C-alpha cells in the first residue's frame, strides 16, 4: 500500500474544519480533508421529504436522553443549517456554570473574539436583515413581543437575501445557492490552493506516526455512498499536524478510540457535552387573535397561516439576555421552522400529550403553528460512553444512528428551560393569542441541533481538554476546532462563534505547522479576497 | 418480549428506513389492503391510535373511527411498514405479537373482555388502546425504542409522505399532506414564496444591537 502523507490533515469539513483547511492551504501547506458524508451541490439538493433525500446529508443521532441533529456532507452543518449568524453575548464568556469559576480561557472574552467575528461575517458574508426580510412567522413573534412590552430583532443570516426564494427547505441544502454555506467560500478557496477534500472518508483513529517528520497517522474507512454502514476500503494518512473537527458528537469519539494509542488523552474529552440549552416549543396561533390583537393581515386575506413560508429563522428577542441576571436565567427566544417530519414531537392538548385525536386536530391547524426555539444556559451535563467499533455512532440507516452520549438534564438546566417556557407563554399566550406547547420528551427526549462542549477549551486542565489555542493537552500538533471546543452553551445559535474560534485558532495551528518544517506564507487574506 | 430479541427487532426496524431510502415500496393503498392477517390488523390499529382516522367501511373494527377524515392508515402507514420488500417484514409478526401480549396483560388487569375473533389489541376500545400505547413510552419500558421507531415511521407516513417524492405525493392528494394543507410548489416542482413578509416594522429592536444585528 502506498504510504500517503500530508502536512495538515483535517477531519471534518464543517466550520471547524473548513476554516483551518483554507488558511493552511492558502499558506502553502499540503492539506487533506476527510469528510464522512457525501459531496453535494445546489443541483443535488431536492425539495422533497422522501426518505433517501435529505437524510443522506443530515443525521439524527439518538443517545440516552438526547437526540442530536447534525450535518453529514462536505460543508458539514453549514449545508443543512438555517444560517442564523449571531455573536454570543458578552456575559456568556464570563459563565461559571456549576463549577463556580470562569469556564472560558482568560484570554477569551467577547471583545477578544469580536475581530474574529468580524472576519467570518465578511467572509461568508453575513447579511444584516430588516423587517422586509422577516417572514410571516417571524412577524407574528415580533408583533407579539411588542404587544407584551418586549423588543424583537430581525436575525442576521449567512444568506444572500436577494437570491433567496424563501422556500423554507434549508434543511435539505440550498437549491438556489442563496445560503452562504462553506461550499461557496472557505472550501472552494481551500481547493483553489490545492486542498484535497475526500468525501465519504470516515476518520477512525489518530495515532502516533512512525514516519520520520510526521507526527500523527490518521486511520480512515471509505463508506459506500448507498449504505454508509458498509466499508469499501481503509487507509492511513500520515500528517505533521492534525485538526479534528468532526463535530461535537464525532470529535470526542475519535479521540476516545485513539486514547490508548496516543498514550492517554485528557479526562475532559467526552465530558461536559452541552445541547446549547435548546428547547423547542409550538405555539398554536389563533387566526382571529393575530388579526385583532396584533393587527396583522396578508395579501390573501389571512392573518397568519404562514408556518411553511419564508426562511426558517428570521426574528428573535434579545430581551432575556440581561448580563446582570443570574446564570440559568438568560436565553434567546427565536422563531424557527421545522419540516413536518418533526410533527410527532409537538405536544397537543389533553392526555396523552403527543399523539391521538387532539394531536391530529392540532395538525389540521399546522399552517397556523408558530414554532420557537429557546437557547438557554444548560449545565454541560452530557457525557460520552463506550466507544462504538467504527465511526462516531452506530449507523442504523441513512440519517439515523445510535450514539454513545448520555444527557440527563440537571435541575439547573430544567430551571432554565422552565424560565424560557414561562417567558414564551407570557408573550404568546397573552389574551389568548395562542396556546404554547413545549417539546414532548415522551417520544424523543431532548433534541438539539447545536451540540457543543465535548472537548472544550479552557485554562483548567481538569475541566478542559484543550488549551486556549485549541491544542489537545499533552499532544502537540493535535487540535480540535469545532463545536466540541466551545466550553459553554451560548444562548444564541453557535455557528458564528464556532467559526470565529476556528479563525482565531489558525494562528496556533500555523505556528505548529511551521515548527514541523512546513514553509508557510503569513497574512493570508479572507477567502475570495 | 420473546422470539427475536429487542435489539434485533430495533435494528430491523431501522433497516426499514434504509430500504425506504432506496425506494421500492408498494403503493400504500395496495399494501394496506393486501392482508387481513392479525399482524396487519394489529399494526393498523396501532397506527390508528397514534394518528386516528375514520372507519374505512361500515363495521370496520380495526380502525376505531374516533374521528372523521384521514388518519395514519389512510395515509399509507401500513404500506410503509408492511411492504414485503422491506427487511423488517418478517419481524412485524413479532412486533404485533408484542403489542397483543401487552393488550392481553392490560385487559387482564382491568377485567376487560377481549373477543377471541380478533387480535387482542384490536379488541380494545379506542380509549384503552390510547392508554396502553401511552404506557409503552414510559422511560423505564424496555421496549420503548421499538415503539419510538414505529411511531417515527407512522408519523413520517402521515406528515411527510416519506415513502414518496413530495411533489408526486401532493399531486396524488396524499391524505396527510392534504390534512396539513402543505403548500403547493411552482410548476417546476420547486417552492418559492414571493409573498413571505408583512414587510413593515413590527417591534422595536433591542437598544444594544451590534452593526451586524447581534446582541451587543
Amino acid at each position: 500500500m502506498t504510504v500517503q502523507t500530508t502536512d495538515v490533515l483535517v477531519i471534518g469539513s464543517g466550520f471547524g474544519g473548513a476554516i483551518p483547511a483554507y488558511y493552511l492551504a492558502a499558506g502553502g501547506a499540503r492539506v487533506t480533508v476527510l469528510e464522512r458524508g457525501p459531496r453535494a451541490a445546489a443541483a443535488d439538493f431536492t425539495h422533497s421529504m422522501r426518505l433517501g433525500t435529505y437524510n443522506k446529508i443530515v443525521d439524527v443521532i439518538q443517545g440516552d436522553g438526547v437526540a442530536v441533529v447534525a450535518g453529514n456532507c462536505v460543508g458539514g452543518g453549514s449545508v443543512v443549517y438555517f444560517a442564523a449568524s449571531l455573536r454570543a453575548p458578552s456575559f456568556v464568556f464570563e459563565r461559571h456554570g456549576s463549577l463556580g469559576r470562569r469556564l472560558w480561557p482568560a484570554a477569551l472574552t467577547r471583545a477578544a473574539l469580536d475581530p474574529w467575528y468580524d472576519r467570518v461575517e465578511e467572509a461568508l458574508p453575513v447579511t444584516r436583515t430588516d423587517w422586509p426580510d422577516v417572514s410571516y412567522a417571524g412577524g407574528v413573534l415580533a408583533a407579539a413581543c411588542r404587544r407584551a412590552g418586549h423588543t424583537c430583532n430581525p436575525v442576521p443570516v449567512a444568506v444572500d437575501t436577494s437570491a433567496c426564494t424563501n422556500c423554507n427547505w434549508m434543511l435539505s441544502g440550498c437549491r438556489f445557492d442563496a445560503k452562504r454555506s462553506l461550499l461557496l467560500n472557505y472550501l472552494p478557496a481551500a481547493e483553489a490552493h490545492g486542498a484535497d477534500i475526500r468525501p465519504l472518508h470516515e476518520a477512525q483513529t489518530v495515532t502516533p506516526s512512525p514516519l520520520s517528520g510526521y507526527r500523527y497517522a490518521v486511520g480512515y474507512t471509505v463508506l459506500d455512498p448507498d449504505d454508509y454502514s458498509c466499508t469499501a476500503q481503509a487507509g492511513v494518512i500520515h500528517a505533521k499536524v492534525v485538526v479534528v473537527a468532526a463535530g461535537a458528537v464525532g470529535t470526542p469519539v475519535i479521540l476516545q478510540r485513539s486514547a490508548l494509542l496516543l498514550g492517554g488523552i485528557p479526562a475532559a474529552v467526552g465530558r461536559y457535552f452541552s445541547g446549547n440549552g435548546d428547547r423547542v416549543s409550538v405555539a398554536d396561533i389563533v387566526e382571529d387573535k393575530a388579526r385583532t390583537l396584533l393587527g396583522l393581515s396578508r395579501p390573501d386575506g389571512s392573518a397568519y397561516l404562514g408556518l411553511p413560508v419564508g426562511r426558517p429563522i428570521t426574528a428573535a428577542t434579545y430581551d432575556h439576555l440581561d448580563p446582570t441576571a443570574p446564570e440559568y436565567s438568560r436565553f434567546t427566544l427565536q422563531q424557527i421552522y421545522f419540516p413536518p417530519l418533526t410533527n410527532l414531537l409537538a405536544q397537543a392538548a389533553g392526555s396523552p400529550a403527543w399523539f391521538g385525536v387532539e394531536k391530529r386536530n392540532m395538525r389540521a391547524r399546522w399552517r397556523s403553528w408558530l414554532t420557537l426555539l429557546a437557547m438557554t444556559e444548560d449545565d454541560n451535563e452530557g457525557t460520552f460512553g463506550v466507544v462504538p467499533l467504527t465511526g462516531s455512532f452506530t449507523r442504523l440507516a441513512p440519517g439515523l444512528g445510535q450514539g454513545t452520549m448520555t444527557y440527563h438534564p440537571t435541575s439547573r438546566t430544567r430551571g432554565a428551560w422552565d424560565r424560557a417556557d414561562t417567558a414564551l407563554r407570557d408573550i404568546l399566550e397573552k389574551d389568548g393569542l395562542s396556546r404554547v406547547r413545549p417539546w414532548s420528551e415522551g417520544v424523543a427526549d431532548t433534541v438539539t441541533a447545536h451540540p457543543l462542549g465535548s472537548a472544550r477549551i479552557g485554562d483548567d486542565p481538569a475541566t478542559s481538554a484543550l488549551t486556549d489555542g485549541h491544542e489537545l493537552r499533552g499532544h502537540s500538533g493535535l487540535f480540535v476546532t469545532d463545536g466540541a471546543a466551545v466550553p459553554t452553551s451560548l444562548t444564541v445559535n453557535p455557528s458564528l462563534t464556532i467559526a470565529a474560534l476556528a479563525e482565531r485558532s489558525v494562528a496556533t495551528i500555523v505556528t505548529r505547522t511551521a515548527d514541523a518544517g512546513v514553509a508557510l506564507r503569513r497574512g493570508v487574506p479572507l477567502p475570495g479576497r | 418480549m420473546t422470539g427475536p430479541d429487542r435489539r434485533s427487532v430495533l435494528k430491523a426496524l431501522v433497516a426499514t428506513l434504509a430500504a425506504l431510502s432506496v425506494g421500492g415500496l408498494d403503493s400504500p393503498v395496495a399494501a394496506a389492503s393486501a392482508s387481513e392477517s392479525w399482524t396487519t390488523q394489529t399494526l393498523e390499529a396501532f397506527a390508528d391510535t397514534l394518528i386516528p382516522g375514520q372507519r374505512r367501511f361500515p363495521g370496520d373494527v380495526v380502525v376505531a373511527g374516533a374521528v372523521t377524515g384521514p388518519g395514519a392508515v389512510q395515509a399509507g402507514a401500513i404500506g410503509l411498514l408492511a411492504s414485503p420488500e422491506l427487511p423488517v417484514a418478517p419481524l412485524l409478526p413479532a412486533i404485533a405479537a408484542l403489542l397483543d401480549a401487552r393488550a392481553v396483560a392490560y385487559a387482564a388487569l382491568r377485567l376487560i373482555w377481549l373477543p377471541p375473533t380478533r387480535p387482542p389489541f384490536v379488541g380494545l376500545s379506542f380509549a384503552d388502546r390510547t392508554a396502553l400505547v401511552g404506557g409503552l413510552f414510559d422511560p423505564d419500558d424496555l421496549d420503548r425504542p421499538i415503539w419510538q421507531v414505529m411511531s417515527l415511521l407512522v408519523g413520517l407516513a402521515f406528515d411527510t409522505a416519506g415513502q414518496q417524492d413530495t411533489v408526486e405525493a401532493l399531486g396524488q392528494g396524499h391524505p396527510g399532506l392534504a390534512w396539513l394543507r402543505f403548500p403547493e410548489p411552482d410548476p417546476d416542482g420547486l417552492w418559492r414564496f414571493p409573498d413571505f413578509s408583512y414587510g413593515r416594522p413590527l417591534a422595536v429592536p433591542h437598544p444594544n444591537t451590534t452593526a451586524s444585528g447581534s446582541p451587543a
Side-chain angles (χ1 to χ4, degrees), chain A residues 47-51 87 110 121 128 134-136 151-153 156 165-167 295 303 318 356 360 363 367 442-443, chain B residues 23 50 52 68 70 144 148 159 162 165-166 179 181 191 193 196-198 200 204 206 209-215:
Chain A
H47 283 188
S48 180
M49 295 181 284
R50 181 190 169 96
L51 290 166
R87 301 185 185 206
R110 165 66 183 271
E121 287 174 351
R128 175 167 187 164
V134 172
S135 69
Y136 292 124
T151 70
C152 191
N153 282 48
T165 67
N166 290 282
C167 70
Y318 305 157
R360 175 181 173 277
R363 281 178 164 98
R367 291 181 70 130
V443 66
Chain B
L50 293 178
T68 55
R144 184 176 180 236
Q148 286 178 319
D159 291 321
D165 176 72
T166 305
W179 186 254
R181 288 187 290 156
W191 275 258
F193 294 110
F196 64 92
S197 174
Y198 297 108
R200 59 188 171 91
V204 176
H206 196 279
T209 300
T210 68
S212 65
S214 283

Side-chain angles (χ1 to χ4, degrees), chain A residues 289-331:
Chain A
K289 297 281 188 177
R291 189 186 311 280
T292 57
L293 296 178
L294 304 181
L296 298 176
S297 64
R298 292 175 48 184
D300 65 4
S302 60
Y304 172 44
L305 296 178
L307 179 72
V309 178
R311 277 192 302 280
I313 296 174
T314 62
T317 178
Y318 305 157
D319 272 4
H320 304 91
L321 298 175
D322 178 0
T324 65
E327 281 195 64
Y328 307 103
S329 72
R330 300 167 294 195
F331 46 85

Side-chain angles (χ1 to χ4, degrees), chain A residues 24 30 62 105 207 396:
Chain A
L24 273 296
R30 291 179 299 149
Q62 182 71 48
T207 62
L396 301 167

Side-chain angles (χ1 to χ4, degrees), chain B residues 64-123:
Chain B
V67 297
T68 55
V73 172
Q74 285 86 352
I78 303 309
L80 192 152
L81 288 171
S83 167
E85 297 183 34
L86 296 181
V88 72
L91 285 167
L92 287 176
I95 295 167
L98 176 61
L99 188 58
D100 281 326
R102 298 289 290 259
V104 169
Y106 179 94
L109 282 171
R110 292 162 182 78
L111 303 177
I112 296 170
W113 181 79
L114 292 171
T117 54
R118 56 184 80 134
F121 184 76
V122 174

Side-chain angles (χ1 to χ4, degrees), chain A residues 42-68:
Chain A
D44 306 310
F45 299 136
T46 59
H47 283 188
S48 180
M49 295 181 284
R50 181 190 169 96
L51 290 166
T53 55
Y54 64 91
N55 60 323
K56 288 277 193 179
I57 57 172
V58 183
D59 282 328
V60 175
I61 305 150
Q62 182 71 48
D64 174 7
V66 66
V68 173

